[in-house]
Amino acid sequence: MFSSPTRKEKQAVLAYVVVLAGVVASARAGLFPGSGEAFDGSLFDHPYRLSMAVAGGILAVALGVLAGWIGRRRENILLGIGVLAAGSLLTLFALSFNPYILYPGDQYPVSFGWLVAGAPLAGLTWLVAAGSSLRRSGRSSA
């Protein structure tokens, strides 16, 4: 039923994993400014929070496009959903190693922020990426 991934698919998945690992390694190394500092203000007032929001958004869009592309390439919507689910779990796991985002008297993991904002964005991006093939397959069968 499922054939082995193609070379292009393997390269695309590897590229996503490398970017994800780069974000985590950079955050753990303290390369994002403001890491480990509590700050009272909005998301856009603190450099680490803003950096993690931007990185999470980029990862979410990249994952949605990747999952949509693989599902469309294989003409298998369930495979695309599986890639999206597996990629989301991998992203949540990896981002849990990032330093916490600190608030005065409170803190939360970056993975929680990605779950709340990034995962829905990844799903919407996947829907757009896979949607074009869904419309095409609906027209061809009519």
Side-chain angles (χ1 to χ4, degrees), residues 10-36:
K10 288 178 186 178
Q11 289 172 337
V13 169
L14 181 62
Y16 179 80
V17 171
V18 166
V19 170
L20 177 61
V23 167
V24 172
S26 297
R28 294 203 44 87
L31 298 180
F32 290 106
S35 176

Side-chain angles (χ1 to χ4, degrees), residues 82-127:
V83 170
L84 182 64
S88 294
L89 290 174
L90 175 67
T91 303
L92 281 171
F93 177 72
L95 290 178
S96 69
F97 290 100
N98 280 14
Y100 278 37
I101 295 176
L102 305 176
Y103 289 95
D106 197 10
Q107 63 184 8
Y108 69 92
V110 174
S111 57
F112 176 74
W114 194 87
L115 179 64
V116 170
L121 179 59
L124 287 173
T125 306
W126 171 82
L127 216 66

Side-chain angles (χ1 to χ4, degrees), residues 1-2 67 71 75-85 126 134:
M1 184 165 132
F2 292 112
E75 297 179 358
N76 187 337
I77 191 115
L78 293 178
L79 180 61
I81 292 170
V83 170
L84 182 64
W126 171 82
L134 291 176

